[in-house]
Amino acid sequence: VTGKVTDEKGNPLANVSVLVRGTTTGTTTKEDGSYTLTVPANAKALVFSSVDMSPVEMAIGTASVINATLKGEDKTMSEVVVVGYGTQKKSDLTGAVSSVKGKDIARIPTANVEQALQGKVSGVYVAPSSGTPGAGAVIRIRGTGTLNNANPLYVIDGMITYDASNVNPEDVESIEVLKDASAAAIYGSRGANGVILITTKGGKTRDKASITASGYYGVQQVTKQIDLLNAAEFASAYNDLRGQQFFPNPDSLGEGTNWQDEIFRMAPISNVSLSANGGSEQYQFNFSANYFSQDGIIENSHYDRLTFRINGEYKLNSYMTIGHNLSNSSTREDVAPGVVNTAYRMPPVYAPRDSTGDFSDPTFFGLAIANPAADLYYKSDKHITGSRLFGNLYGEIKFLKNFKFRTNFGIDKINWQTEYFEPKFEVSASQLNLNDRLSVSNGTDGKPNRNDWIWEQTLTYDHTWNEHHITALGGYTAEERNGIWLGGSREN
């Protein structure tokens, strides 16, 4: 069978899928819209399909030439997006709401969904909060709107939170960003900085469960180092500065030590995911397991996270449904000291260690200069471990045709443990620690252990008649947030 595929105006369409109905036998059209396909003797029809076009099915019969015309499919007006406590057609929205599909962020190699939003939504500024492995992002929706804390509010599967770092990007079905006052008004004053709604993947009705495995491995490095003086150039410049020959023969010193090479490294990043998705008319489920690992480009820095998620929905009868969206994540972070600034200031005439094997003392050039190699050796014994149980349980009842009652109970339980040990050492008069010291805390820098819960009841009336549609929602929310930080330290 041969033929040509065109659009409504007669223009040829390339890369259109041409499949024998009910089989995997098929081909795609060329640049001029033409195709050639050998079909089985018992084939009944061909299916023509392309992105953003309505599919067309053509009977084969005895024809050897089959042409097809595809029409554009405008899904924008009928697209449904998540808004506060419900959904709406995109064509009905009066507030500023941007939508991002999960497939658009799953391919980005990053630890969390916050950084994956970078460059995806207009009017939203996203930048990494630091270069630390596993770090989140600074997000500003339409600029900085409030003093002190300008971070947006997150709502993950109906659970309100201020931290989305536990969400694996591959678990995301869609993200909606509520950017203006009318869209975020239902969340009150805490939605003043904008609201980010994250919906994770649910199950789908299938004949057989779909099992998916994916992974990636990559490396990170500094793309461009700061151009600094080498040892010979530094010695010559220092002689000129002091008007004396502190270094009789600067050229003999050569390149010396590039201190950026001493602290930076080629750092691997990897991710492995396994998921199962399926269900029937009575229940749907989605299970996923994910392991993420990232070394920092600074020596001795590392982050890894293991996440399990189980989402399920169960239809008890025609009017009652219950479900859950639960995740549990465990993290470990190895924290390196801040050595980037000292690496820029360390004179290149020094090696990391002197001729006796001790760390070089650079204080000849000033007490404020420290040996970054010594800091990496003595101050890298800081470890943060954490676990987070996050999710919700819900029930929904439909009654009197147009009414729906929903109850939702959410929990966010976070536990952090931080340990830091610094041994006794002395590199110079300004770079030293006189006593061994150990500090331990339940909680970490700026993050107390938390035990939060929220319980919501909402009643929705939804009615359509002729060309008119009305939705009314009333609700009641109770929540409690508890945070505690406890630490202790000991010397000698």
Side-chain angles (χ1 to χ4, degrees):
V1 175
T2 62
K4 189 173 183 178
V5 182
T6 59
D7 62 16
E8 297 170 275
K9 297 181 180 180
N11 300 315
L13 294 175
N15 299 316
V16 174
S17 171
V18 185
L19 282 176
V20 177
R21 187 182 66 188
T23 73
T24 57
T25 302
T27 186
T28 57
T29 58
K30 300 177 182 178
E31 291 295 325
D32 60 356
S34 64
Y35 73 93
T36 301
L37 179 63
T38 300
V39 301
N42 61 348
K44 302 295 183 183
L46 295 181
V47 179
F48 301 83
S49 61
S50 181
V51 177
D52 295 330
M53 309 289 283
S54 298
V56 171
E57 185 174 303
M58 303 285 287
I60 297 175
T62 59
S64 59
V65 178
I66 300 177
N67 298 321
T69 300
L70 299 187
K71 297 181 179 180
E73 185 176 34
D74 185 7
K75 298 180 179 180
T76 304
M77 298 302 287
S78 60
E79 181 181 351
V80 174
V81 297
V82 178
V83 292
Y85 298 96
T87 60
Q88 272 189 306
K89 284 186 178 181
K90 201 163 189 177
S91 57
D92 294 337
L93 289 175
T94 58
V97 179
S98 294
S99 182
V100 181
K101 299 302 180 185
K103 63 182 180 180
D104 295 329
I105 64 172
R107 68 190 69 169
I108 300 173
T110 183
N112 56 64
V113 72
E114 298 169 353
Q115 287 197 21
L117 282 175
Q118 191 168 22
K120 298 295 183 184
V121 184
S122 62
V124 177
Y125 169 84
V126 182
S129 59
S130 75
T132 305
V138 175
I139 297 180
R140 297 291 180 264
I141 298 176
R142 291 189 168 180
T144 301
T146 57
L147 297 175
N148 300 321
N149 186 350
N151 295 328
L153 184 72
Y154 293 94
V155 182
I156 305 172
D157 293 325
M159 175 65 182
I160 294 174
T161 182
Y162 295 90
D163 177 15
S165 61
N166 64 311
V167 179
N168 172 25
E170 294 185 51
D171 287 339
V172 173
E173 180 71 29
S174 68
I175 298 175
E176 273 74 34
V177 182
L178 313 185
K179 295 188 286 188
D180 67 2
S182 65
I186 199 167
Y187 292 103
S189 61
R190 60 185 170 184
N193 297 313
V195 182
I196 298 177
L197 307 177
I198 300 175
T199 304
T200 59
K201 293 177 181 177
K204 294 182 179 180
T205 302
R206 306 175 187 270
D207 293 333
K208 295 181 180 179
S210 171
I211 298 177
T212 304
S214 64
Y216 62 77
Y217 178 88
V219 291
Q220 311 151 97
Q221 63 179 348
V222 176
T223 55
K224 179 176 174 57
Q225 292 188 1
I226 302 298
D227 189 16
L228 303 175
L229 301 179
N230 62 26
E233 294 166 339
F234 177 87
S236 177
Y238 192 78
N239 286 345
D240 292 342
L241 174 69
R242 302 305 297 268
Q244 301 180 41
Q245 291 298 104
F246 280 93
F247 298 96
N249 187 9
D251 291 339
S252 66
L253 299 176
E255 290 294 321
T257 301
N258 182 343
W259 285 97
Q260 295 174 88
D261 288 340
E262 296 298 321
I263 66 168
F264 293 135
R265 63 178 175 179
M266 188 84 74
I269 179 173
S270 61
N271 186 75
V272 179
S273 293
L274 178 68
S275 65
N277 186 291
S280 65
E281 293 297 330
Q282 284 69 44
Y283 73 94
Q284 289 85 38
F285 70 90
N286 185 78
F287 168 79
S288 68
N290 169 258
Y291 177 72
F292 177 86
S293 177
Q294 180 182 16
D295 281 352
I297 57 173
I298 298 291
E299 292 280 353
N300 301 333
S301 60
H302 174 79
Y303 174 86
D304 61 57
R305 183 189 66 214
L306 178 64
T307 304
F308 294 96
R309 173 174 289 277
I310 178 70
N311 292 353
E313 186 168 273
Y314 314 92
K315 294 183 179 179
L316 304 182
N317 48 48
S318 60
Y319 58 87
M320 184 178 295
T321 302
I322 61 174
H324 56 80
N325 301 288
L326 298 170
S327 71
N328 189 78
S329 57
S330 300
T331 61
R332 176 183 169 89
E333 184 179 357
D334 298 330
V335 183
V339 292
V340 176
N341 184 51
T342 54
Y344 293 149
R345 303 182 66 188
M346 186 71 178
V349 294
Y350 289 107
R353 293 178 182 265
D354 59 26
S355 58
T356 65
D358 295 327
F359 284 105
S360 299
D361 176 1
T363 54
F364 171 79
F365 295 99
L367 288 174
I369 300 176
N371 186 331
D375 277 346
L376 284 173
Y377 183 81
Y378 290 118
K379 299 182 179 181
S380 291
D381 199 356
K382 182 177 181 179
H383 312 286
I384 304 172
T385 56
S387 64
R388 186 176 188 183
L389 175 64
F390 184 93
N392 66 320
L393 307 172
Y394 64 89
E396 195 172 274
I397 299 175
K398 297 178 181 179
F399 61 99
L400 297 179
K401 190 177 180 178
N402 298 315
F403 287 90
K404 179 174 68 177
F405 173 77
R406 180 183 176 96
T407 181
N408 179 81
F409 182 80
I411 187 171
D412 189 5
K413 186 176 180 61
I414 307 174
N415 287 301
W416 300 96
Q417 176 85 9
T418 304
E419 295 183 0
Y420 176 62
F421 175 74
E422 187 176 319
K424 180 179 179 179
F425 70 91
E426 183 174 358
V427 176
S428 66
S430 58
Q431 188 179 10
L432 75 167
N433 180 36
L434 299 178
N435 300 307
D436 293 337
R437 57 183 180 182
L438 172 70
S439 61
V440 179
S441 65
N442 290 321
T444 184
D445 303 334
K447 295 181 179 180
N449 287 346
R450 303 200 62 88
N451 189 8
D452 303 341
W453 61 262
I454 183 170
W455 192 21
E456 299 176 318
Q457 341 288 325
T458 56
L459 180 64
T460 305
Y461 174 78
D462 190 280
H463 183 49
T464 300
W465 69 100
N466 299 327
E467 297 180 356
H468 306 287
H469 178 243
I470 184 171
T471 299
L473 179 141
Y476 176 79
T477 297
E479 64 179 298
E480 184 173 280
R481 299 185 179 274
N482 294 299
I484 184 170
W485 186 96
L486 178 65
S489 62
R490 177 88 182 204
E491 291 193 358
N492 289 328

